[in-house]
Amino acid sequence: HMAIPFVVFAKPPVPGKAKTRLAATIGAEVACRLAEAFLFDTLTLASQCQELAPVLSTTEDGMAPEAFPPEAIPPGSAFPRWLQPDGDLGARIEAMFIAGLQQSRAVICSGADSPGRHPDRLHEVIQALESGAEAVLGPTEDGGYDLVALSRCEAGLFAELPWSQATTFESTKQRFEERGLRVHVLGLWWDVDECEDLERLKQLLSEDAARAPATARTL
């Protein structure tokens, strides 16, 4: 079995553009350092899972080797970079799936805003795909999802979905079911977008820093 691409969506971290909702409270520099740490920990999490091959999916300005500082990219691995096309998030996710599924039996797409996920969450995705699920969704408390996996993706699968809404997860799940995909849903997780989320993250990592070491150091 070839490794499954674990495609992490991230823009190059730039103060003032990174984690803007957090930056409003904690300042642009700190928010940018956190964005770097979140990405570092997300790539590390995927690297620790033998069945996965981590990939960085980024925008045009992220394709240059130096676009991501060493604080954002774990050392010792060349993470391939896949260029996101223009278009809404749905168009960009679809493009990554179509590219990845040309070389692999399944692909996982993930954000980098959910530090502290347990490796078991990724193992459950792999297990579900191996047990015949064609789609896996990891819902988050805000109504979105921290990851989505597919073993097949037809054109338009993500077209016209509501993004960054309380209905994003439900709408996506419904779309998958309408298209006849067998869907497996993970337990609920949460994104770190607001200051309350940071407090919760501090609590989680004070009990288990190994879940997101770079983030724990930055906090």
Side-chain angles (χ1 to χ4, degrees):
H1 268 334
M2 269 184 59
I4 295 172
F6 185 89
V7 183
V8 181
F9 279 61
K11 297 186 175 95
V14 177
K17 290 186 180 173
K19 305 300 292 172
T20 45
R21 274 183 283 175
L22 282 177
T25 312
I26 62 176
E29 284 296 334
V30 180
C32 186
R33 284 207 300 278
L34 274 176
E36 292 169 357
F38 288 2
L39 178 55
F40 188 101
D41 286 333
T42 303
L43 291 168
T44 301
L45 173 72
S47 303
Q48 289 163 345
C49 193
Q50 287 170 328
E51 298 94 335
L52 302 179
V55 170
L56 185 52
S57 169
T58 190
T59 41
E60 187 71 63
D61 54 348
M63 293 301 284
E66 66 284 353
F68 288 85
E71 291 78 12
I73 308 277
S77 292
F79 297 100
R81 292 190 200 180
W82 292 1
L83 177 63
Q84 296 174 17
D86 294 332
D88 73 351
L89 184 57
R92 290 180 279 140
I93 292 175
E94 182 184 305
M96 295 303 107
F97 275 121
I98 287 172
L101 287 168
Q102 287 172 354
Q103 61 184 59
S104 179
R105 67 191 191 282
V107 175
I108 305 169
C109 285
S110 170
D113 297 319
S114 310
R117 288 178 292 186
H118 196 275
D120 287 352
R121 191 167 181 82
L122 305 193
H123 291 301
E124 186 182 338
V125 177
I126 296 160
Q127 204 58 54
L129 291 165
E130 284 172 355
S131 307
E134 296 165 301
V136 183
L137 279 166
T140 49
E141 290 174 4
D142 60 7
Y145 38 92
D146 62 300
L147 57 79
V148 52
L150 292 171
S151 63
R152 61 187 176 94
C153 179
E154 55 191 72
L157 184 60
F158 292 90
E160 312 292 326
L161 285 171
W163 298 108
S164 304
Q165 305 289 325
T167 54
T168 301
F169 161 72
E170 282 300 340
S171 303
T172 306
K173 179 172 177 276
Q174 192 179 345
R175 170 72 58 83
F176 288 175
E177 287 166 348
E178 283 166 2
R179 296 287 182 96
L181 294 168
R182 284 194 297 279
V183 183
H184 176 84
V185 176
L186 306 176
L188 211 51
W189 192 250
W190 43 285
D191 281 347
V192 179
D193 289 313
E194 312 287 351
C195 281
E196 308 84 273
D197 305 326
L198 268 191
E199 288 310 311
R200 186 175 177 185
L201 184 61
K202 272 184 187 162
Q203 189 61 46
L204 175 74
L205 297 180
S206 71
E207 293 156 21
D208 186 4
R211 280 182 170 222
T215 301
R217 286 194 299 274
T218 309
L219 288 171

